[in-house]
Amino acid sequence: MSPDLATDGGPTLLKLETAQNTGAFKIRGAANKMLSLSDADRARGVACVSTGNHGRAVAHMGRALGIRVVVCLSELVPNNKRAAIEALGAEVHIAGRGQDDAMAHADKLVADEGLVLVPPFDDPLIIAGQGTIGLEIIEDAPEVNRVVVPLSGGGLLAGVALAAKGVDPQIRTVGVSAERAPGMLESLRAGRPVDIPEEKSLADSLGGGIGQDNRYTMAMVDRLVDEHAVVSEQDIARAMTFAFRHHGLVLEGAAAVGIAALLANKLAPCTGTTAVVVSGKNIDPDDFLAIVTSLEP
Ligand SMILES: *Cc1c(COP(=O)(O)O)cnc(C)c1O
């Protein structure tokens, strides 16, 4: 909790998914999905496409369950994320300039080698796994009035919003997108999935579109989310610096967007308690140091 992050006098709670095994919340959905695979599917092996953290979670579960894992990454995925996936014994394929290219490669592996796809967000079992965060927030802090959640493909936000509103329909749900990764926002505006050019961002885990064949997360985010905010690269850098200086937290850019939205006053006023999902910590240590030492405190 942080006095500096207080909104209208209400406290702000941070839900620290940085403490998860594999360093990000993605282990929740990956575990739920992979534990539900049949023995026949486990024997075939799995493929996934990832900005890094989903692949690491799938690799971790593959090792735990004895399942072959192939992770398809684009060239934009940072080296530290690739190395962590390889260290878990998964095969890594680097395919193309962005998530769409990596997805096409994964689809080919599924067709050619009979691997089972473990989607990064648009899957009921993945959404349900990420949604356990919402249940835990309410269990720990039943007084919460608002939850603020990073947004990319929307598995995290859809799950958290469904769980939170399922328990308490009054809870206000807020999605925070990075300015350089507006895939879901543009899609909601257009009323259909929109492909966006993938740009380098501090929030590398938020990159990519929502998939042209999106079945679940777009409709759920549309229905369950009360407010959207967008943060700039500078907002994210400030939030990472703030979280480090005031809370001793090492956050990757994607995990800092909720704090960024609060610090930059980008959210509608809300009295009461706010919970912010802080989604992961998998940033290269040298990149992190460069960011948090380059700004004035
Ligand atoms: C994947 C990821 C997100 C976004 O999750 P979606 O389900 O794609 O919206 C946010 N933060 C981190 C650290 C992630 O790895």
Side-chain angles (χ1 to χ4, degrees):
M1 195 191 298
S2 163
D4 305 89
L5 277 175
T7 52
D8 300 340
T12 299
L13 309 173
L14 305 179
K15 177 64 170 160
L16 296 180
E17 293 297 301
T18 49
Q20 287 288 355
N21 205 330
T22 73
F25 72 89
K26 293 269 189 348
I27 190 73
R28 295 174 182 264
N32 197 36
K33 179 76 180 175
M34 288 173 74
L35 286 166
S36 75
L37 293 176
S38 66
D39 288 344
D41 280 350
R42 289 184 190 202
R44 287 160 70 191
V46 301
C48 69
V49 52
S50 171
T51 49
N53 287 336
H54 175 61
R56 183 162 168 180
V58 171
H60 176 88
M61 290 307 300
R63 170 164 279 191
L65 300 172
I67 299 174
R68 178 188 173 204
V69 172
V70 182
V71 181
C72 305
L73 305 174
S74 84
E75 290 157 10
L76 287 177
V77 175
N79 283 333
N80 67 305
K81 287 190 163 135
R82 174 185 177 167
I85 293 166
E86 284 171 339
L88 287 166
E91 297 156 53
V92 171
H93 294 199
I94 306 292
R97 294 270 320 128
Q99 289 296 294
D100 293 339
D101 294 343
M103 190 65 227
H105 185 77
D107 285 341
K108 196 168 172 330
L109 286 175
V110 168
D112 293 352
E113 299 189 29
L115 296 173
V116 177
L117 197 66
V118 178
F121 50 84
D122 200 35
D123 179 285
L125 290 167
I126 299 284
I127 295 167
Q130 324 304 30
T132 56
I133 294 173
L135 298 179
E136 288 172 16
I137 288 173
I138 293 172
E139 202 172 282
D140 289 349
E143 73 278 16
V144 160
N145 302 100
R146 172 170 71 172
V147 290
V148 178
V149 183
L151 175 57
S152 173
L156 176 61
L157 179 53
V160 170
L162 185 69
K165 285 199 189 275
V167 178
D168 178 357
Q170 299 302 319
I171 289 184
R172 187 172 173 79
T173 53
V174 183
V176 185
S177 300
E179 204 169 81
R180 291 204 182 158
M184 181 62 84
L185 283 183
E186 305 257 315
S187 299
L188 290 171
R189 269 188 212 119
R192 60 178 167 78
V194 170
D195 287 332
I196 50 155
E198 216 166 306
E199 294 182 79
K200 216 170 154 44
S201 166
L202 288 175
D204 52 83
S205 289
L206 301 185
I210 66 168
Q212 280 299 330
D213 51 355
N214 189 288
R215 288 183 63 193
Y216 305 102
T217 60
M218 182 176 156
M220 288 178 75
V221 169
D222 195 24
R223 184 164 60 84
L224 296 166
V225 175
D226 300 306
E227 179 183 349
H228 285 277
V230 179
V231 294
S232 68
E233 294 296 299
Q234 199 186 20
D235 294 336
I236 296 169
R238 282 216 188 96
M240 291 169 74
T241 308
F242 173 93
F244 181 59
R245 286 188 179 272
H246 293 267
H247 298 281
L249 292 173
V250 174
L251 306 185
E252 59 175 286
V257 297
I259 295 174
L262 282 172
L263 288 177
N265 276 317
K266 295 207 164 156
L267 303 186
C270 173
T271 47
T273 302
T274 293
V276 181
V277 176
V278 175
S279 49
K281 63 153 192 205
N282 294 327
I283 182 170
D284 176 84
D286 294 319
D287 291 346
F288 178 78
L289 287 174
I291 291 159
V292 298
T293 54
S294 69
L295 288 181
E296 296 288 316

